[in-house]
Amino acid sequence: MFKECLDVFSEMLKHEDNLILKSYVPADGSYVIVKKDGTVKNADIKIDKKTRDLNCTDDTLLSDICFYDYHSKLISMNKPMDSKKVIHSNNYLAFAVKKDSITTKLTEAIIDNYYDTLKNPLEKKYKKSKEASKIYQKFEEEHSVVNIELLEKCRSWIKQHIFSIDKLINIDLGKKEYLKIFFEVFEVGEEDNKKNRELFIQEDNRYIFPNIYNSNDYNVEVEGKIQGIPDNNLGMNAKKPFLSIKTRKNPASYLLNGDTALLQKQFFEYLMNFASNGKNNVYIDTVNNKIEAYGDKEEREKFAGIEAGYYLRIQKGKELEIQVQDNLVNYQDKLLLNFNYQDFFKMNIENYPEYTKDIGIHSKRTSVGRLINEIFFSKYLLTNYFTDASDISVKDSVLKRTIVMYRNVIFDWIYKGIDNNFEVTEKRFALDLIKNALINNYTLRAMTQLNLHWSFKDYFAEMKQQGGEKMAEVATEIRESIKERVMSKEKVKMPINDREYYYAVGQLAAYFISLSKAGKKSQSMINPVINISDDRVLKERLIQLYKKYNYAIDHYNVRFKNLFAMILGYKPDTQTDRQTKDEMILFGYMDSNSIYTKKEENN
């Protein structure tokens, strides 16, 4: 799988040299470019954490800053050129340090040690490792030795200005963000700028080549080429003996040559750019050799799907984290059948704009995923797909439990196109969340949740080409039938079927609760009605509520008498499933109440 991803990335590199840099995101901080004549240009960079927009105070410098920063960064903090780990750059043309470290940690001795190491890496850095020394010596033979004159000029400038840098540029040395200084040692000009960049690449490679492998202790030479353990997705050391294959002469699980290890490093950097921009969902198309990435809330207008490839869920941490990977076969973000999110309660749009804002057709999985996140999970699902259960900061225990239990199946349906068990899963969590919303007095939320649940019910039925009634038709027929019976002045008419009966139960329970004189009417009062499975006990409970509130019921209230009589006189089928029973009680409870309906509404 990983090799195929690298093959796609390699093909993309052939067509675009600037692939990594065009989406590169420098860290927050202040950036200084020192010209050959000693003059400086500077800019501050800040990432908007909400929009992920990169804000630079001087956009004319941004391209150079990204280039110099990318070609001077450490592979990891475990491989510094400064043994004290105060200076975070990798070559003498750059000097990166945290601002607050300038006044608390940085010393002239640390600066001198940094430049002395860069001046003679073979002696100061690699002499203890035969393998690293061999790689570095080969690099010097094929390229060049360090330019001591340029290095000393850079050292001199840093020692002269770094401790008073706030007098040279406007900078707050109390912040924990970066100060990064880059040196352009050639005169300004198109050709000279090219030379500056070429020198940066050379000095970057001087650092990368001996440090490209996780540990040079496992390097082997095969036909004159060195192979070793890559540093990005495998870390072998004394603290991880379980990664060693003891039965092999070389205990490493796999080895890569330098070119492949470098390609893998670039691939992880490319993915890190996506993660830094909040694009956590990566789709690798192995048919068309394309890689596309999207944020969770990002619209995917130009992305229909991929015929074959891989999905990666990535996250920016101390290093790039690949949280999920899966094979994709004919993944389509566009749904085969449009999803119709419907309003079954016929709410007044003008009075409830938030309730009705998403009503309508949704053609993409990610769009429906947004509905699931916002309506079912009150926006808590999206941020907690991969959060450890103990770290999920949701106070509602039912909501938290539901997230933990069902997030994987929901995620697979939205982002990978895996339909297995999603319909069953949705049925399981929907009613739990609807009941929970009512218990916590979020009636409007419960109504939108039932809307979404029944919209899913219609969607799955259409997908299976089952035909039959639509839930909108069912809801309308039940509402009108019960309303007609409640408002009738003739002999009491029984419900036509169990669905009407349980709807009527919900209507009656809502009416009783409306009569309560309590200062705060908690929706949890419906719990005894919803949670009763035996019909005899259910009727007994309704009679108890009648005895409790009958003082407030007018003797001539015909509508109440009709509703109560049809419930007491109807015997439901014992085979009716619990799901249908609960849904209809909830629908009747939350729907406009027939007893309070104005006469003209029924015309």
Side-chain angles (χ1 to χ4, degrees), residues 4 37 147 231 261 309 354 441 464-465 480 498 510 564 597:
E4 287 184 276
D37 62 4
N147 189 319
D231 193 54
E354 191 65 24
N441 291 322
K464 296 175 183 176
Q465 298 181 335
E480 295 304 318
D498 285 8
F564 202 17
T597 301

Side-chain angles (χ1 to χ4, degrees), residues 369-387:
R370 180 177 58 81
L371 297 182
I372 294 171
N373 173 56
E374 294 180 1
I375 295 174
F376 276 140
F377 293 93
S378 306
K379 300 183 179 181
Y380 284 107
L381 177 64
L382 189 62
T383 53
N384 288 298
Y385 273 125
F386 303 101
T387 307

